[in-house]
Amino acid sequence: MVSPAFAELTGWANLLAAWHAAARGKRGRATVAAFESRLADRLLELGDELRGQRYRPGAYRRFEIHEPKRRLISAAPFRDRVVHHALCRIIEPRFERLFIADSYANRIGKGNHRAVARLQQLARSHRYVLRADVVQHFASIDHQILRMLLARRIPEADIMALVDRLLASGDGVLDSVYEMVWFPGDDLLALCRPRGLPIGNLSSQFWSNCYLHPFDQFVQRELRCRAYLRYVDDFALFADDKKQLWAWKRAIVERLAGLRLTIHETATQVQPVAFGIPWLGFIVYPTHIRLKGRKVGVARRRLAQRFAAWRAGEISFAELDASVKAWVAHARHADSWGLRRALPSQFPLGRE
């Protein structure tokens, strides 16, 4: 018997809204246009497959990006991305109401720039910070643990069956970049544990927040650290007592091990906030914010490539303008007036 929630998930209204979300900003791509050419037929077919438990995810298209660091991206077929949106539209509200206010990634009304502003706010009211990030975050997420966490809020067997199929489709996609970590009690069978979420999936981004939600609760409720925030796998704790932060670091390492996660321990140090806090491409001080030098170099190279493409007639001026405006909008969140003022002189208009 189909559960009411699954009937809503596979219904026309939800699938159409999921298509709109998946296609936003991408309708010029061939795969998206092909799907749209027979939109009604394809959505009806997809709904029938889902309700009949015949839906199977397609193969991922994999490619690497290298800035700022090497990442293996796994792009799902557009049809599957519609399913990801359809699923998240139904189950995300159940989890969203549980998430802490200071979790900023992949949530409506949050985002990286608000995370930067919040970090500076906390830096202004505390003397010390402990900033950390998870090693191989998406590659390390354990399917058994994630499924257990999701099942607590998803009692419907048919929705969990869809979750299982989507999880299984991503098993091993990051094995080539994962370095095995052994935890207390592990035996050789630990090598066979299904793990990894494809970087690039909407469902992966959402499930990442679900996976780390118990950790957020641990920091705020058990450690009683109210000055805490997280963006994906980057997080920071603030206090006026260095010893307290060092004690919290030890507790954090132990708790994350229960999720089969580790942090970059050597890089995770307690430091005065006045030294500047590296955070999401910025260096955040209590009094001001700077762009990371490496990020500025990456932006200059990308803009130079776009500028060269425009001069060669490969892209339109509107496309070049959109790239420039996007970088300027990002840079405005730092004290970057000099950089932004110098931008026009670096890329003079006029084709050869």
Side-chain angles (χ1 to χ4, degrees), residues 25 57 66 130 138 145 154 158 170 211 219 232 238 256 282 314 319 326:
H66 296 272
L130 175 70
F138 282 100
I145 295 174
I154 307 175
D158 41 17
Y211 199 82
V219 173
V232 191
F238 292 83
L256 285 176
F282 298 88
E314 297 170 1
E319 291 174 297

Side-chain angles (χ1 to χ4, degrees), residues 16 20 116 144 159 197 218 233 240 262 287 301 304 310 316 329:
L16 182 62
H20 275 291
V116 170
Q144 181 180 337
I159 295 183
L197 295 181
F218 165 73
D233 61 314
D240 291 323
T262 59
T287 54
R301 287 195 296 273
W310 171 72
S316 67

